[in-house]
Amino acid sequence: MFLSFQAVVNFLKGPSGPKCLECDSVFIDGVCPNLDCPVKVAEWITRWCSPEAAKIPALDQAKAGQLAKLRLVLHPGELYELGQGDWDQLESVSAEQLSDIQRQMEGSKSAEPSAVLYGLKLPGVDERLAKRLIEVFSSIDALRVSKPERLQQIEGIDEEQCVEICRWFRDSLNKKALKMLEQNDFNLGRQ
Ligand SMILES: [Zn+2]
């Protein structure tokens, strides 16, 4: 058997196949592997703004999508650092809507720790597990520094998920998100 010229060209070009429409990354197992992909960022911001998380309904899915697409935010912490000029780039946001968003964002700073944790969108951490984790650890900071063995004792967390949660806290983007939230008056260490 010998390879055709085209086969060699394809091999040299690297992986091919379906690509993410938003960021052009080649899908791996049907999902976009790019952590900065605007689709993922938009999903994260939408989760953050949901009623079960930071409660910012005025910042709906469409606006979250625009913020991500314009690369104005990569994580929820950056929402709190946006200036007037950034918000002005969004299409069809009235002054009244913007003041609603900003008022709700201000209110989000006193969200329950379990709601903040749910909004952070850790792998596999749904609303129920977020509540459970805060019951056990009291704060996001305490969860962050907990030993994997301690985490694994919690009902509903298996070894694989434990590894993923620990990895989430080590990721540099997630670290930046937590730091920026703290700088914007979120108390992640409250008991
Ligand atoms: Zn993508």
Side-chain angles (χ1 to χ4, degrees):
M1 193 190 113
F2 65 95
L3 292 169
S4 69
F5 176 70
Q6 194 54 47
V8 173
V9 168
N10 286 343
F11 176 76
L12 291 173
K13 275 202 305 202
S16 60
K19 284 181 180 176
C20 176
L21 293 174
E22 218 36 80
C23 73
D24 217 32
S25 304
V26 176
F27 280 147
I28 295 176
D29 296 331
V31 289
C32 173
N34 173 14
L35 291 174
D36 295 343
C37 175
V39 176
K40 285 186 191 175
V41 174
E43 280 171 6
W44 194 2
I45 300 301
T46 303
R47 161 80 76 98
W48 178 259
C49 296
S50 69
E52 298 79 18
K55 298 184 192 68
I56 313 172
L59 211 171
D60 57 24
Q61 209 172 342
K63 295 183 188 75
Q66 281 192 62
L67 287 171
K69 213 168 180 168
L70 290 163
R71 304 283 204 272
L72 289 171
V73 294
L74 283 178
H75 56 71
E78 286 185 331
L79 286 176
Y80 299 85
E81 304 266 318
L82 293 173
Q84 185 63 44
D86 300 317
W87 290 109
D88 285 346
Q89 291 184 51
L90 267 66
E91 276 167 37
S92 60
V93 179
S94 66
E96 199 185 350
Q97 280 173 321
L98 182 57
S99 89
D100 282 346
I101 292 173
Q102 285 168 338
R103 185 174 40 77
Q104 290 168 7
M105 276 175 51
E106 206 46 45
S108 72
K109 295 176 182 179
S110 50
E112 290 292 320
S114 61
V116 173
L117 180 58
Y118 173 71
L120 288 172
K121 210 171 179 287
L122 272 68
V125 178
D126 58 13
E127 231 190 310
R128 223 174 103 189
L129 186 53
K131 285 204 172 95
R132 182 96 193 88
L133 286 167
I134 294 300
E135 270 167 30
V136 174
F137 292 98
S138 318
S139 72
I140 292 170
D141 263 344
L143 169 65
R144 181 174 59 82
V145 298
S146 87
K147 293 211 160 46
E149 304 83 67
R150 175 101 176 77
L151 196 56
Q152 243 184 80
Q153 286 166 5
I154 293 171
E155 209 187 302
I157 294 192
D158 58 20
E159 203 180 325
E160 193 186 333
Q161 198 175 6
C162 173
V163 170
E164 284 191 24
I165 290 174
C166 293
R167 191 182 290 150
W168 190 94
F169 280 109
R170 284 199 308 269
D171 178 88
S172 63
L173 180 76
N174 299 333
K175 281 184 182 170
K176 275 185 210 155
L178 291 174
K179 195 164 184 194
M180 207 171 269
L181 288 172
E182 275 199 309
Q183 285 166 350
N184 283 281
D185 304 326
F186 280 85
N187 187 347
L188 306 180
R190 184 161 33 212
Q191 298 290 310

